[in-house]
Amino acid sequence: MPTIVKTPSGTWKAVIRKTGFPTTIKTFRLKKDAEDWARRAEDEMVRGLYVQRAPSERLTFERAIRRYLDEVTPTKRPLTQVGELRRSVPLVEHFGKYSLAAITPELISHYRDARLAGEDRKGKDGMPVPRATNTVRLELALLGHLFTVAVKEWGLGLTYNPVLNVRRPAPGAGRNRRLDAHEEAALFAAVDRHSNPMLGWIVRIALATGMRSSEITSLRRGQVDLSRRVVRLVETKNTLPRTVPLNAQATALFKKALTNSLRPIDTDLVFFGEPGRDGKRRPYNFNKIWLDIKRAVGCADFRFHDLRHEAVSRFVERGLSDQEVSAISGHRSMQMLKRYTHLRAEDLVAKLDKLKA
């Protein structure tokens, strides 16, 4: 039988001692609440359904996310680590003081709606600035994985993942931003005027090969084989290595990069940056320069990743098969490849004219 005792502070403590279970204690403000909980908990023990929920009731979300960032995030790729650190900030602001056991699907739904409505961010006119649907989707993904790890590995007594009962925002429409001849000429002229020639080489290589920014800037000299005209990528977004063929233009650009007379002897990076405070050289970070240049030439809405979209679309327009394009770009499914391939309707007109009626 449970034992109910009154504490010196006036609260009521329920104590359950049962063979096969650790001594379980919980304190309540009212005696009736203590009796109800003790009766229910003992009944669950008899039926083999009892779950020790106290750890999840004591652990706040702020401490839980800190543990996740310390134990789980370091096992992921560097870019993912940076993203999770950034996404954890609004989650802590909203859920930080709640215990894990107190976070319900209703609370998560309210967070989703508030972020999508921009309630926590105001524009210059004082009006809310909504968050992008993909931003909220990634935040909910982080929250959901934290609960998955807590349920499966941390032994906190959580019985389910509340994020699984919350509707995710629909993904935004895929981008359809193509680069026209005038924009291409303006961008290339602007990057060529920059004092560091590596910027121009990187932009042209991205358009010639369809490689991602991180794939290009993290390249080591041993990954570039000019004799076979290929680049061997070890770490990619989908974790699968791939070999990217180089056309004549990309081969010439890599040759310039590898024979760069300004290359320091303390790095093996093809595109290197200045030493950091710790004295280590990291990949060339050109993000701020790129943002300034594209605004200056009137292409503020053109992202660097759009160069990859443009490259893949041009591969298709030049007659490469889907299998050949996916081998170059690294897309694992034809459906994903289709999202990144946007053919110009005007380029299809001539092909239609050639078809026989």
Side-chain angles (χ1 to χ4, degrees), residues 10-243:
T11 59
W12 294 87
K13 182 167 64 176
V15 182
I16 302 177
R17 295 182 178 90
K18 191 169 185 63
T19 304
F21 294 88
T23 299
T24 305
I25 303 173
K26 193 168 184 179
T27 304
F28 299 86
R29 186 171 60 86
L30 299 178
K31 183 178 181 180
K32 184 179 183 305
D33 292 340
E35 292 172 341
D36 290 343
W37 173 83
R39 187 165 49 251
R40 186 170 60 252
E42 191 172 46
D43 180 62
E44 289 177 351
M45 290 178 180
V46 171
R47 293 186 292 143
L49 301 176
Y50 179 72
V51 177
Q52 178 60 270
R53 301 178 181 87
S56 64
E57 294 171 347
R58 291 194 299 266
L59 182 65
T60 65
F61 177 80
E62 186 173 10
R63 290 169 53 203
I65 191 70
R66 198 173 296 143
R67 178 179 176 181
Y68 181 94
L69 294 174
D70 289 341
E71 297 179 6
V72 181
T73 298
T75 65
K76 303 181 181 181
R77 300 171 58 178
L79 285 178
T80 303
Q81 294 179 31
V82 173
E84 290 194 342
L85 286 171
R86 184 175 65 252
R87 294 176 199 117
S88 68
V89 174
L91 290 171
V92 170
E93 290 178 355
H94 193 89
F95 300 109
K97 303 304 178 185
Y98 287 93
S99 71
L100 286 189
I103 298 177
T104 62
E106 291 77 18
L107 283 174
I108 299 171
S109 298
H110 179 266
Y111 171 84
R112 174 202 62 201
D113 296 341
R115 294 285 284 171
L116 291 174
E119 294 179 4
D120 59 341
R121 182 172 65 169
K122 305 293 183 182
K124 294 181 180 179
D125 56 358
M127 299 298 292
V129 181
R131 304 283 176 172
T133 56
N134 197 50
T135 298
V136 181
R137 285 174 62 86
L138 291 173
E139 291 169 357
L140 292 181
L142 172 58
L143 180 63
H145 193 237
L146 181 147
F147 271 99
T148 296
V149 173
V151 170
K152 293 182 177 180
E153 300 182 14
W154 290 354
L156 300 177
L158 288 169
T159 56
Y160 78 112
N161 183 342
V163 183
L164 297 179
N165 294 334
V166 176
R167 175 176 49 83
R168 305 287 180 93
R175 284 176 63 80
N176 191 18
R177 181 66 164 87
R178 295 295 303 270
L179 186 68
D180 63 37
H182 173 74
E183 291 174 331
E184 182 176 339
L187 279 173
F188 282 2
V191 296
D192 288 342
R193 288 194 297 269
H194 184 60
S195 58
N196 192 333
M198 287 193 296
L199 178 61
W201 300 338
I202 291 172
V203 172
R204 284 181 166 83
I205 287 171
L207 188 58
T209 64
M211 286 194 290
R212 301 176 179 90
S213 170
S214 60
E215 293 172 344
I216 298 173
T217 56
S218 63
L219 283 173
R220 303 281 176 171
R221 287 186 290 180
Q223 295 175 251
V224 182
D225 189 338
L226 292 181
S227 61
R228 291 183 171 84
R229 290 174 52 177
V230 295
V231 168
R232 296 181 177 87
L233 300 179
V234 180
E235 291 189 6
T236 63
K237 184 178 179 180
N238 60 19
T239 71
L240 294 178
R242 77 177 190 273
T243 301

Side-chain angles (χ1 to χ4, degrees), residues 268-286:
D268 196 38
L269 288 166
V270 177
F271 302 104
F272 51 88
E274 293 298 320
R277 293 182 179 179
D278 56 1
K280 295 181 180 179
R281 288 186 183 271
R282 291 175 175 79
Y284 177 42
N285 187 345
F286 59 91

